[in-house]
Amino acid sequence: MAAPLELSCWGGGWGLPSVHSESLVVMAYAKFSGAPLKVNVIDNTWRGSRGDVPVLATEDNIVSQPAKILNFLRKQKYNADYELSAKQGADTLAYIALLEEKLLPAVLHTFWVESDNYFTVTKPWFASRMPFPLSLILPGRMSKGALNRILLTRGEPPLYHLREVEAQIYRDAKECLNLLSNRLGTSQFFFGDTPCTLDAYVFGFLAPLYKVRFPKVQLQEHLKQLSNLCRFCDDILNSYFRLSLGVDG
Amino acid sequence: MSLVAEAFVSQIAATEPWPENATLYQQLKGEQILLSDNAASLAVQAFLQMCNLPIKVVCRANAEYMSPSGKVPFIHVGNQVVSELGPIVQFVKAKGHSLSDRLDEVQKAEMKAYMELVNNMLLTAELYLQWCDEATVGEITHARYGSPYPWPLNHILAYQKQWEVKRKMKAIGWGKKTLDQVLEDVDQCCQALSQRLGTQPYFFNKQPTELDALVFGHLYTILTTQLTNDELSEKVKNYSNLLAFCRRIEQHYFEDHGRGRLS
C-alpha cells in the first residue's frame, strides 16, 4: 500500500510493545496480517490526541476502536483470517464476545480500580506519558470510566456496590482463562499454525495481565498457572515483536 | 449473590427434588413486557421444557422489582428465588438436571462463548432498539413500560429506565452507534449463529443445550414481535436454517407438550 498507515497508541513497558490492551490487539493484528503500520507512541508532548486510543490515521480517514480498525485493515486486503472456515469465523466472534464479557471487567479492575495497583503502577505510568496538566485529570477520568463500565454491566441495581461485584468478576475471569486454556490445548495458535484475529484479541487482553508487575496479583497468579496461555504470549512476543523491544524498558 | 450465599443455595437446592408448583414470574404479557424481557423469559421457559421440568408462568406488573437481581424472569422454586438464565442453569444443575454434561471441555467453552455472543450482540441490540431508537421509544416502549401505573408514575419510570439503559450503552461504547450499525451487528451475529448451526438440528448435534434455549428465546421473540418496522426480523429471516431451528423447537417443546401455541 502506498498510503502510510499511522497508528497512535500507548507505549510499552515490561517487555511489551504496548501496555494498553486495545492498542496491543491492533498492533498484533497488523503484525499477523503484514500491514505496514507506523506506530506513533503517545508521549508527554501535546502532539496527537489521547481520547479514543488506539487511532489509525490514513490519508483521508481516521478510524478508532479496535473492531473498526481491524475491519478497515481487512478492507485494505490485510486479512489475517484468510484461511479460516466459516465456522471458525463464527467461533472467532463468539470467543471475542466471551473475552469482552467475562475477562475484560476483571482486567479493567486490576489495572484501574484496585487502589494499590492503580496508584502505584497504572496512574504514574500513564501520567508520565501525558503533558501537564492533562496528567492530573486524564488518568482519573480513565479510572472512573473503567469503574463505571464494570458497575453498569455487572452491578445489580439498585445497589451498584463494588464489593459484591468484585468477587463475581474475578471468578468469571478465572473461568474464562480456564476456558481459553482448554480451547488452546497444545496448539500453537487458536486455529492451526497461523495466527489470526482471535489470537490478536487473546494476546491483547492477556499479555498486559501477564507481564505488568502489580502489587495485587490474584488474576495474574491464576494466569501463570495456565502454562499454555503463557507460552502463547511468549511465542508471539518472541516471533513478532522482538525487533521493537529494547527501545522501551 | 455473594460466594457464600451461592454455595449455601447450591447445598439446599441439591437436597430437594423439583416441586410441582414451581413458578416463573415475568411482566404482563399483553400490555407491558418488552422485547428483551420477553426473549429472556422465553429462553428460560424453553430451557426448563428441555429439561422436562414443569413450570407455571405467572405475569405480574412488578416482576422486575420482585426479582432479586432486578432482572426478569425469575423462578420461585420451593423456598428459593433465582433470576436470569445463568444462575437458573446452575440452580437446575445442583438439582441434578443438566443439558450440557455430555459435552467435553472444548465444547463447553464454545457453548459459553456463543452464549456470551448472544448476550453481547443480540441482547444489547434489542435494548438499543427499545430504548435508544427514538421512533420505537415514542411509539412502543414508553407506553408499554409504564402501562400498569397511573400518571405521572408511568412517565417517570419509563424515563428513569431509559436513562439507565442509555448510560449502560455509553459505557460499553454503543452510545455513538447508529441504528444501521446496530442492525449490521445483528446481522453479523445471526450469520455467526447460522454458520455454527449449519445443517444440524441443534447447536451440539442431536440434543439441545442451554445455548439452544437462549438462541431460540431471542430469535423467536424477534420474529414474532411487532415493532415500528420489520428491519430487525428481516435480518433473522435471511437465514433459513435459523428459521427452521426456531420452528423445530417450537414444535417439539411447546406444541407437543400440549401447551398450545406460543402467543
Side-chain angles (χ1 to χ4, degrees):
Chain A
M1 285 297 294
L5 301 167
E6 287 192 21
L7 181 74
S8 300
C9 60
W10 293 108
W14 295 280
L16 296 170
S18 172
V19 302
H20 184 228
S21 284
E22 300 187 335
S23 309
L24 203 51
V25 168
V26 177
M27 288 166 89
Y29 184 84
K31 291 274 181 191
F32 297 159
S33 61
L37 277 194
K38 184 164 162 302
V39 176
N40 288 335
V41 166
I42 296 178
D43 57 18
N44 58 3
T45 63
W46 282 97
R47 192 169 46 96
S49 77
R50 268 151 213 81
D52 252 7
V53 169
V55 175
L56 185 71
T58 63
E59 277 180 358
D60 1 89
N61 269 329
I62 296 197
V63 191
S64 62
Q65 288 184 356
K68 289 193 194 153
I69 297 179
L70 261 54
N71 261 343
F72 180 82
L73 287 175
R74 275 187 212 111
K75 290 202 181 105
Q76 304 291 323
K77 310 282 191 245
Y78 296 111
N79 190 359
D81 294 340
Y82 197 64
E83 291 173 6
L84 293 186
S85 70
K87 180 178 174 305
Q88 288 173 327
D91 282 354
T92 302
L93 269 188
Y95 278 102
I96 293 176
L98 185 68
L99 285 174
E100 286 186 356
E101 289 283 313
K102 297 279 181 189
L103 187 58
L104 182 60
V107 171
L108 285 178
H109 187 274
T110 306
F111 272 75
W112 292 100
V113 180
E114 176 66 62
S115 354
D116 283 351
N117 296 347
Y118 173 63
F119 287 109
T120 54
V121 177
T122 318
K123 186 172 176 192
W125 193 93
F126 277 89
S128 69
R129 282 157 179 77
M130 298 173 188
F132 183 86
L134 219 52
S135 56
L136 297 178
I137 312 170
L138 210 49
R141 202 183 289 172
M142 290 166 86
S143 170
K144 267 205 121 201
L147 180 62
N148 229 8
R149 180 168 178 153
I150 295 173
L151 287 180
L152 284 175
T153 50
R154 307 309 289 276
E156 292 159 2
L159 292 174
Y160 284 130
H161 208 283
L162 188 60
R163 284 278 146 258
E164 295 151 17
V165 175
E166 263 175 25
Q168 180 68 38
I169 59 177
Y170 276 103
R171 214 156 33 122
D172 283 345
K174 288 175 187 169
E175 197 196 330
C176 180
L177 290 176
N178 290 344
L179 292 175
L180 287 174
S181 179
N182 283 335
R183 174 66 182 77
L184 181 63
T186 49
S187 333
Q188 201 186 5
F189 298 110
F190 277 91
F191 295 118
D193 298 326
T194 47
C196 54
T197 306
L198 181 58
D199 302 283
Y201 267 89
V202 175
F203 176 70
F205 278 79
L206 290 188
L209 197 58
Y210 177 37
K211 293 282 185 186
V212 178
R213 295 270 156 272
F214 282 120
K216 286 269 173 68
V217 288
Q218 57 161 317
L219 199 54
Q220 198 174 57
E221 292 299 316
H222 189 92
L223 176 57
K224 288 193 178 153
Q225 289 171 13
L226 299 167
S227 53
N228 61 348
L229 292 180
C230 300
R231 192 245 321 141
F232 172 79
C233 293
D234 284 327
D235 277 350
I236 293 184
L237 279 174
N238 286 332
S239 327
Y240 291 92
F241 289 104
R242 183 178 280 288
L243 294 176
S244 54
L245 295 180
V247 176
D248 243 286
Chain B
M1 273 200 277
S2 72
L3 290 174
V4 171
E6 242 189 75
F8 186 63
V9 165
S10 290
Q11 282 273 37
I12 303 271
T15 54
E16 299 163 356
W18 190 267
E20 284 300 314
N21 62 350
T23 33
L24 177 142
Y25 287 87
Q26 64 172 42
Q27 292 112 327
L28 303 174
K29 213 169 164 85
E31 319 85 46
Q32 188 194 16
I33 198 166
L34 293 174
L35 178 59
S36 52
D37 294 330
N38 205 3
S41 176
L42 193 55
V44 171
Q45 289 176 51
F47 174 70
L48 291 172
Q49 282 285 19
M50 289 170 183
C51 293
N52 241 325
L53 297 170
I55 191 98
K56 196 158 78 75
V57 177
V58 170
C59 297
R60 290 270 183 281
N62 59 343
E64 212 179 346
Y65 302 103
M66 283 202 277
S67 157
S69 72
K71 303 217 172 81
V72 283
F74 65 93
I75 57 174
H76 178 204
V77 176
N79 58 0
Q80 271 136 41
V81 179
V82 190
S83 64
E84 291 183 80
L85 185 63
I88 290 177
V89 170
Q90 302 268 47
F91 179 77
V92 166
K93 192 165 171 190
K95 287 211 180 284
H97 306 269
S98 170
L99 295 176
S100 51
D101 272 349
R102 64 195 168 89
L103 301 179
D104 66 38
E105 290 303 323
V106 173
Q107 286 176 314
K108 279 193 187 155
E110 250 187 65
M111 181 184 80
K112 297 222 161 110
Y114 275 94
M115 286 177 80
E116 289 309 322
L117 179 67
V118 172
N119 281 332
N120 201 340
M121 283 204 169
L122 272 188
L123 178 61
T124 317
E126 286 166 8
L127 283 174
Y128 179 94
L129 192 62
Q130 281 167 198
W131 292 105
C132 305
D133 173 44
E134 293 307 326
T136 317
V137 169
E139 275 183 42
I140 301 180
T141 318
H142 255 206
R144 284 185 75 98
Y145 189 75
S147 61
Y149 305 107
W151 188 92
L153 193 58
N154 53 355
H155 285 300
I156 297 175
L157 288 177
Y159 278 117
Q160 185 186 41
K161 180 82 180 178
Q162 186 179 17
W163 180 74
E164 243 178 65
V165 173
K166 280 194 168 164
R167 259 181 87 197
K168 181 176 165 176
M169 291 291 147
K170 203 161 153 231
I172 59 176
W174 280 54
K176 302 212 182 93
K177 283 201 179 180
T178 63
L179 186 59
D180 286 329
Q181 286 170 331
V182 170
L183 289 172
E184 231 188 85
D185 283 343
V186 170
D187 190 48
Q188 239 190 353
C189 180
C190 290
Q191 190 182 36
L193 289 172
S194 175
Q195 279 163 352
R196 177 64 182 82
L197 183 63
T199 49
Q200 299 170 119
Y202 300 110
F203 278 93
F204 289 96
N205 212 2
K206 298 279 176 26
Q207 300 285 340
T209 57
E210 45 264 36
L211 172 60
D212 301 273
L214 183 64
V215 173
F216 170 72
H218 281 275
L219 293 185
Y220 188 87
T221 317
I222 291 178
L223 288 170
T224 53
T225 306
Q226 193 76 307
L227 291 173
T228 51
N229 57 29
D230 283 331
E231 283 173 351
L232 192 57
S233 55
E234 287 304 316
K235 291 289 176 197
V236 178
K237 284 183 188 160
N238 279 333
Y239 300 97
S240 57
N241 62 347
L242 293 180
L243 291 177
F245 170 79
C246 289
R247 189 80 194 112
R248 187 179 308 125
I249 293 194
E250 187 195 353
Q251 271 178 328
H252 198 76
Y253 290 99
F254 288 94
E255 284 172 14
D256 284 355
H257 288 213
R259 285 187 50 140
R261 288 229 52 190
L262 288 169
S263 55

